[in-house]
Amino acid sequence: MKAGIVGLPNVGKSTLFNCLSNAKAQSANFPFCTIEPNIGVVNVPDPRLEKLEELVNPERVVPATVEIVDIAGLVKGASKGEGLGNQFLGNIRETDAILHVLRCFDNDNIVHVDGSVDPIRDKETIDIELQLKDLETVEKKIDKVKRAARTGNKEAQAEEAVLIKLKEGLEAGISVRAIDIDEDAREEYVKPLQFITDKPVMYVCNVDENSAVDGNAYVDQVRETVKDEHAEVLVLAVGTEADITELDDYEERQMFLADIGLDEPGSAKLIRSAYKLLNQQTYFTAGVKEVRAWTINIGSTAPQAAGVIHTDFEKGFIRAEVIKYDDFVSYGSEAKVKEAGKLGVEGKGYIVADGDVMHFLFNV
């Protein structure tokens, strides 16, 4: 599962990507410095993992990860191929969620591609390009379905009605994710087409250091504009975050954060939010060899969770022994949890909860 960082040129995308992945993507004060999408595999910060390490004292600890893709800056006309647009839009299509970076700071030394700072205009520029690309997709699909619908095929007629609704919404400047469509119809007719504007989105407001804690007037405008989109808005001083990642010493980093009023780097919040945006959650295995965070989709069953470790675990699943994370911490060890009668034995229908500490029994 991948989250793609998008935005206009020079809004701080590559700097943000560098903060997240430490894979130093070229960051320059001109458009199109990221021609190929840079991909970074980022550890998901999770204090629960540290606590389990402290209690179990394993030989190694393996965190969950999330994949972040830095996609080159989009410009007006991208949907028609402007500024390498087709390639960039193809890169976005391959991601599962969008981190949309908006410039919410003034700085005369950093050129804005449209000559002035206006995050709402910038958001609309990108939205329109993505919507135009989706409109192209839906129009092609309508042409295909129309023929079958004319013959009286009920299935094709139902699909055509949904596609026409999508087309009208996109023409009115509404993204696919915000168009009101019945859940079953969405699952059957909308999801397979992989619309770009159907992907979950988070708006990252890139602010100056003084606005890192409370945001600013630009951020307020963004919050007001997206309030009906069910999208998260995250405030991040990307330049400051970049300075923090340059510090090698943990104590120095903590002092820097304290000085600007933060208890942890904003990038840590962003990674966790991206993980949730991708509909992911974590369960743990905890033994002397290894304490590990495993990534599963929210709503996964115990056999599906077991299958993440190895497909044989899912095929031959017998049962799962489950300890709630809070119980593990309060009793201090697996043995004490068992003594207290707090170890759950769960079957195939068990829906795994975030933070469960699990052990699987299987037979192949």
Side-chain angles (χ1 to χ4, degrees), residues 231-298:
E232 190 176 345
V233 175
L234 198 81
V235 178
L236 207 63
V238 175
T240 307
E241 294 282 331
D243 292 341
I244 292 168
T245 56
E246 292 298 318
L247 298 171
D248 294 325
D249 184 69
Y250 174 78
E251 296 299 326
E252 276 185 51
R253 289 201 297 274
Q254 292 308 110
M255 280 166 64
F256 196 139
L257 286 166
D259 281 348
I260 57 173
L262 295 174
D263 53 2
E264 68 171 346
S267 53
K269 285 185 186 133
L270 176 65
I271 295 163
R272 284 199 297 272
S273 298
Y275 193 65
K276 279 199 190 123
L277 199 63
L278 290 163
N279 196 40
Q280 309 269 265
Q281 68 178 26
T282 300
Y283 77 86
F284 302 105
T285 50
V288 287
K289 285 268 180 221
E290 175 183 272
V291 164
R292 185 172 188 140
W294 298 89
T295 299
I296 54 170
N297 287 330
I298 292 169

Side-chain angles (χ1 to χ4, degrees), residues 23-242:
K24 303 293 182 187
Q26 184 189 357
S27 174
N29 184 17
F30 56 88
F32 311 126
C33 64
T34 315
I35 303 300
E36 289 300 317
N38 289 275
I39 298 178
V41 178
V42 185
N43 290 342
V44 178
D46 193 335
R48 295 174 301 182
L49 202 56
E50 292 160 30
K51 189 67 188 169
L52 289 172
E53 179 185 12
E54 198 182 292
L55 294 170
V56 179
N57 196 22
E59 287 173 24
R60 66 178 189 149
V61 177
V62 183
T65 59
V66 64
E67 216 166 276
I68 305 284
V69 186
D70 179 23
I71 295 164
L74 256 70
V75 291
K76 228 171 263 179
S79 58
K80 301 282 178 272
E82 288 294 321
L84 312 181
N86 291 330
Q87 185 186 330
F88 299 164
L89 288 161
N91 293 335
I92 295 171
R93 199 179 289 286
E94 286 165 22
T95 65
D96 304 286
I98 293 172
L99 308 176
H100 187 159
V101 182
L102 295 166
R103 178 170 167 177
C104 294
F105 66 89
D106 295 305
N107 185 335
D108 295 339
N109 296 322
I110 298 175
V111 185
H112 190 291
V113 74
D114 285 329
S116 62
V117 177
D118 183 345
I120 308 309
R121 177 201 59 211
D122 295 355
K123 175 192 176 303
E124 283 168 0
T125 297
I126 293 212
D127 282 352
I128 288 164
E129 295 308 323
L130 302 185
Q131 287 159 5
L132 285 170
K133 202 66 187 169
D134 281 349
L135 190 56
E136 205 178 284
T137 304
V138 83
E139 283 171 343
K140 279 181 190 162
K141 187 67 178 172
I142 287 172
D143 287 344
K144 282 183 189 165
V145 171
K146 214 176 242 173
R147 287 190 288 276
R150 282 201 195 111
T151 66
N153 181 316
K154 291 276 186 280
E155 178 71 14
Q157 287 171 346
E159 184 172 7
E160 186 185 30
V162 171
L163 294 170
I164 287 168
K165 192 170 184 182
L166 286 175
K167 181 176 184 284
E168 288 168 352
L170 286 163
E171 285 172 340
I174 303 166
S175 291
V176 171
R177 74 181 79 83
I179 297 171
D180 185 23
I181 287 169
D182 169 77
E183 208 46 55
D184 291 341
R186 187 173 277 279
E187 203 57 45
E188 194 167 347
Y189 306 125
V190 181
K191 294 277 184 223
L193 294 173
Q194 291 186 298
F195 290 109
I196 299 172
T197 66
D198 196 30
K199 296 179 192 295
V201 66
M202 175 165 65
Y203 295 100
V204 181
C205 293
N206 183 11
V207 299
D208 57 84
E209 188 177 308
N210 295 332
S211 309
V213 178
D214 300 318
N216 56 27
Y218 292 131
V219 175
D220 295 341
Q221 287 170 20
V222 173
R223 285 199 174 112
E224 180 58 29
T225 303
V226 308
K227 67 177 190 289
D228 297 328
E229 283 191 38
H230 310 295
E232 190 176 345
V233 175
L234 198 81
V235 178
L236 207 63
V238 175
T240 307
E241 294 282 331

Side-chain angles (χ1 to χ4, degrees), residues 66 83 152 169 308 328:
V66 64
V308 174
F328 200 108

